[in-house]
């Protein structure tokens, strides 16, 4: 079946540093979504991307829909302790609403 | 807050017993989804609904059934729970405005099958 490769799996960063994570696939996607999940809670939508090449920001977060439609990245600038959590990418392929698949997540830990 | 609630939030049950989880939305979204989240697997789709009484299977539908008799409620049933169904279950909704692709998640239900 379809798979998303999300990297890195985990990362430790110093407060104030910039962070970058990405998702890749061998298949073409129509939509890319980025979520953050805190312990014990549901994923919260950060950014949604609908067009190849699209670059969208949400505060200190920036995400891009790759030109090839097979990848997306998320950048966090000037990280702070509350950025800790697990970040998931999700991509939709094909025409069915059931065709949204998720990466396995990037666990972000920030050293205060 | 996308107006989604899940009940119960935690449940412990025994193997072989039936279990029903409820997802309730207050915002009239057309689409509703059930996912399970397990370490090493991320989020995987169980079933989804595209309208009242309209449902379809997802990637991991075996052992689960769903029902949607009203727009606001989507029920997930484990007819005979097994230990492999111990997981965290999330409901999601989409389709009210903008892209139908954009899914919003509920707080989750942690299910333990002993």
């Amino acid at each position: 079946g379809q798979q998303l490769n999300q990297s890195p799996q985990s990362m430790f960063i110093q407060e104030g540093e910039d962070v970058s994570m990405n998702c890749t696939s061998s298949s073409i996607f129509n939509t890319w979504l980025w979520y953050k999940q805190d312990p014990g809670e549901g994923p919260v939508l950060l950014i949604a991307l609908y067009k190849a090449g699209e670059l969208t920001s949400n505060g200190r977060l920036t995400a891009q829909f790759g030109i090839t439609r097979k990848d997306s990245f998320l950048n966090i600038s000037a990280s702070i302790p509350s950025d800790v959590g697990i970040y998931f990418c999700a991509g939709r392929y094909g025409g069915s609403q059931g065709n949204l698949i998720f990466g396995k997540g990037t666990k972000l830990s920030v050293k205060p | 807050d996308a107006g989604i609630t899940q009940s119960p939030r935690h449940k412990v049950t025994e193997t072989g017993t039936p279990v029903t989880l409820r997802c309730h939305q207050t915002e009239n979204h057309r689409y509703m989804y059930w996912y399970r989240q397990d370490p090493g697997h991320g989020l995987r789709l169980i079933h989804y609904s595209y309208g009242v009484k309209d449902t379809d299977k997802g990637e991991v539908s075996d052992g689960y059934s769903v029902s949607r008799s009203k727009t606001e409620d989507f029920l997930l049933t484990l007819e005979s729970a097994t230990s492999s169904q111990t997981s965290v279950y999330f409901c999601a909704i989409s389709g009210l405005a903008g892209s139908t692709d954009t899914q919003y998640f509920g707080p989750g239900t942690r299910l333990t099958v002993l």
Side-chain angles (χ1 to χ4, degrees), chain B residues 11-87:
Chain B
K11 186 170 182 67
V12 180
T13 191
E14 294 187 349
T15 298
T17 61
V19 176
T20 295
L21 308 183
R22 180 181 182 236
C23 177
H24 178 78
Q25 60 148 327
T26 59
E27 304 206 358
N28 206 34
H29 282 71
R30 177 182 175 187
Y31 299 95
M32 299 185 76
Y33 312 79
W34 276 108
Y35 291 87
R36 60 178 289 174
Q37 185 175 39
D38 304 289
H41 291 280
L43 284 152
R44 293 180 292 173
L45 182 66
I46 304 171
H47 284 278
Y48 69 100
S49 169
Y50 46 96
V52 172
K53 298 185 179 178
D54 292 323
T55 65
D56 206 349
K57 295 179 180 180
E59 177 188 358
V60 290
S61 59
D62 287 348
Y64 302 95
S65 62
V66 290
S67 65
R68 191 172 180 197
S69 59
K70 299 185 290 184
T71 298
E72 58 266 34
D73 290 325
F74 193 31
L75 303 180
L76 177 71
T77 298
L78 291 65
E79 299 291 347
S80 178
T82 67
S83 58
S84 64
Q85 293 175 312
T86 292
S87 187

